[in-house]
Amino acid sequence: MRLCLTSEMQHSHHVRSRHACTWHRLDSFDLQRGAIRRLGKALLTQASPYPTHLVLYWKKGERDPWFLATNMLSARPAARLHNRRMWIKKCSGT
């Protein structure tokens, strides 16, 4: 399972890591172009908390980073699968 949040959603969605007491906006995490970061177990959205694993990935050449909610435990495979999904979507014209 993967969910990619758009740049508009980054401002309105909050995340709380498993060990944190406070919620943070998704766009508040420091991420550089070309970087990948696994936040691990987290609760996604303050309004209706949903447990998931969160991966932050900013692919080189992309305007915005990807925020992936996934059941995968490793960041790179999650980002690689999402990248493949986007490629298939682009090739199929959907």
Side-chain angles (χ1 to χ4, degrees), residues 1 5 20 24 39 58 64 69 91:
M1 176 177 100
L5 302 176
H24 300 278
L39 295 184
W58 198 342
D64 296 311
C91 288

Side-chain angles (χ1 to χ4, degrees), residues 23-84:
W23 292 85
H24 300 278
R25 282 180 26 174
L26 284 174
D27 61 351
S28 70
F29 291 97
D30 184 33
L31 190 67
Q32 304 296 319
R33 288 182 192 269
I36 188 166
R37 182 174 170 193
R38 179 182 174 272
L39 295 184
K41 291 183 181 179
L43 294 174
L44 184 60
T45 74
Q46 189 173 7
S48 181
Y50 182 81
T52 188
H53 294 269
L54 196 62
V55 172
L56 286 61
Y57 176 51
W58 198 342
K59 184 178 176 185
K60 289 182 181 180
E62 293 289 329
R63 189 182 70 169
D64 296 311
W66 295 344
F67 297 87
L68 305 172
T70 181
N71 60 350
M72 299 182 74
L73 300 178
S74 298
R76 291 202 186 282
R80 190 171 35 250
L81 284 175
H82 186 73
N83 192 34
R84 182 177 297 155

